[in-house]
Amino acid sequence: MRAVGDLSSAYGGVMVSLGSKLGLYKAMSGAGPLSARELAHRTDCAERYVREWLNAQAAGGYVDYHAVSETYELSPEQAMVLADEDSPVFIPPAWQVPVSMWFDEERTLEAFRTGGGVAWGDHDGRLHCGVAAFYRNGYRGSLVSQWLPALDGVVEKLEAGIAVADVGCGHGHSTVLMAQAFPRSRFHGFDVHAASIDEARQNAADAGVAERARFDVARAVDYPDKQYGLICFFDCLHDLGDPVAAARYAARVLAPGGTVMLVEPFAHDRVEHNLSPVARLYYAASSTICCAHAISEGGELVLGAQAGEAKLAEVFRKAGFTHFRRAAETPFNLILEVRR
């Protein structure tokens, strides 16, 4: 029955994606109870398809069904997850990640059989878009308001003006958020995936911060040395083929008194303490994406997405850092402060 439940969830993910892309959730948000005909009219969709979709949503607990009136309703809590694109818990884009995992199955089978790697840029494009969109809202809800203030003295330096490196920036959402919040600082995003850098530049332009948020293709061991007051690794250190080398390079280009902000997937240090739905998600992604990319980069140390705080601390200790502490945490992330 657990396997059937998981299969039902996988089918449900397709329904979530359809509902998001067709605007069905948005049309239901704040509208009160609606019939299938009313929702179909609001979204310019065919009523028979909408009715079946609504029944699937009701069966999964994603909408409420009122039997007497034969209407369906999206509660405010459900709307936060399914309809509000600015909500920190907006989930529909995350379903693009398992789609990409299925499309990349042949590559993954080959990697398992040969021990070879699969680089980030070799995955189906929905991986890059899904990861960027999913993490964007989590960063938007926490990065400036909670995580940066949890670091000793960093907000004051950002307000005064420092150089910041965002290593493995992807589509640049984290870089843009910081640039919007701290106009006196200058932000530099780096990633090995050229298509993501193109997206990051466009996102910065759209946000009006292109003059103080620049993006370039570079590895974690050769980006320009600007003596950064803050170096950030957002959910990427565990993807690197040689995280110790990346940490050593960060020590070299970090300004005196500077800080490394390390954001990693939440994990305990022992497998038996990581047996949870969130850990299952991360272990699965690690099997097909994180470890695969680290191996493609040489795999000197393949941390995986559930490395845990102790292993991460050891990486930075080997790189010559002496200060390492957990500054904050969420159910999905560890926020770690590192200094020399």
Side-chain angles (χ1 to χ4, degrees):
M1 287 310 299
R2 177 166 294 184
V4 171
D6 289 344
L7 184 62
S8 175
S9 296
Y11 280 40
V14 178
M15 296 297 101
V16 169
S17 184
L18 290 173
S20 180
K21 292 178 179 178
L22 291 169
L24 296 169
Y25 293 124
K26 282 190 175 181
M28 295 184 74
S29 181
L34 294 173
S35 68
R37 176 175 294 180
E38 289 170 328
L39 181 58
H41 178 73
R42 284 172 175 241
T43 56
D44 197 26
C45 289
E47 179 187 345
R48 187 64 188 87
Y49 284 108
V50 170
R51 183 180 301 278
E52 210 71 359
W53 177 86
L54 281 166
N55 288 336
Q57 297 300 283
Y62 277 52
V63 305
D64 298 324
Y65 177 62
H66 305 295
V68 173
S69 59
E70 296 186 346
T71 57
Y72 307 80
E73 186 173 6
L74 194 69
S75 72
E77 294 82 2
Q78 291 162 339
M80 282 186 66
V81 177
L82 300 167
D84 182 1
E85 293 182 359
D86 293 328
S87 164
V89 293
F90 182 63
I91 202 72
W95 282 98
Q96 299 305 307
V97 177
V99 171
S100 75
M101 292 164 73
W102 277 113
F103 268 83
D104 293 332
E105 185 182 27
E106 287 300 321
R107 293 179 185 273
T108 302
L109 289 170
E110 181 70 11
F112 266 67
R113 289 171 177 146
T114 65
V118 182
W120 176 261
D122 291 338
H123 287 280
D124 183 85
R126 276 165 286 202
L127 172 64
H128 320 133
C129 297
V131 167
F134 178 61
Y135 279 102
R136 175 196 63 190
N137 283 18
Y139 295 159
R140 182 183 291 165
S142 301
L143 173 55
V144 173
S145 62
Q146 299 173 34
W147 298 351
L148 288 171
L151 305 176
D152 290 340
V154 168
V155 167
E156 291 80 2
K157 292 180 180 179
L158 287 166
E159 289 174 340
I162 55 174
V164 178
D166 189 350
V167 181
C169 65
H171 287 198
H173 293 304
S174 51
T175 328
V176 168
L177 286 168
M178 292 187 291
Q180 288 175 315
F182 303 103
R184 291 185 179 178
S185 290
R186 293 296 178 265
F187 299 85
H188 308 269
F190 305 106
D191 203 287
V192 296
H193 188 227
S196 289
I197 289 296
D198 290 340
E199 288 288 337
R201 288 169 177 160
Q202 187 60 55
N203 288 332
D206 292 343
V209 295
E211 288 302 312
R212 57 181 186 271
R214 304 295 182 91
F215 298 91
D216 291 290
V217 176
R219 299 179 302 160
V221 293
D222 63 7
Y223 51 95
D225 180 357
K226 296 185 180 293
Q227 290 297 287
Y228 302 97
L230 175 66
I231 298 176
C232 304
F233 294 89
F234 289 104
D235 288 293
C236 71
L237 187 85
H238 65 272
D239 295 320
L240 303 180
D242 193 344
V244 176
R248 285 197 183 111
Y249 188 78
R252 175 180 151 192
V253 300
L254 191 66
T259 300
V260 172
M261 179 184 189
L262 179 63
V263 177
E264 281 285 298
F266 184 91
H268 299 288
D269 292 322
R270 298 178 62 86
V271 172
E272 61 266 31
H273 299 150
N274 285 334
L275 305 181
S276 69
V278 173
R280 181 192 188 191
L281 184 154
Y282 281 137
Y283 278 128
S286 192
S287 302
T288 62
I289 302 164
C290 308
C291 289
H293 182 78
I295 292 170
S296 78
E297 290 192 340
E300 293 291 330
L301 175 61
V302 182
L303 287 171
Q306 292 287 271
E309 190 172 346
K311 285 183 181 178
L312 296 169
E314 180 65 10
V315 166
F316 282 88
R317 186 195 65 78
K318 288 180 178 178
F321 288 87
T322 59
H323 172 88
F324 188 97
R325 75 173 180 95
R326 184 185 303 195
E329 65 181 68
T330 76
F332 291 95
N333 284 111
L334 294 172
I335 297 85
L336 305 160
E337 176 188 86
V338 190
R339 292 201 303 271
R340 288 183 290 188

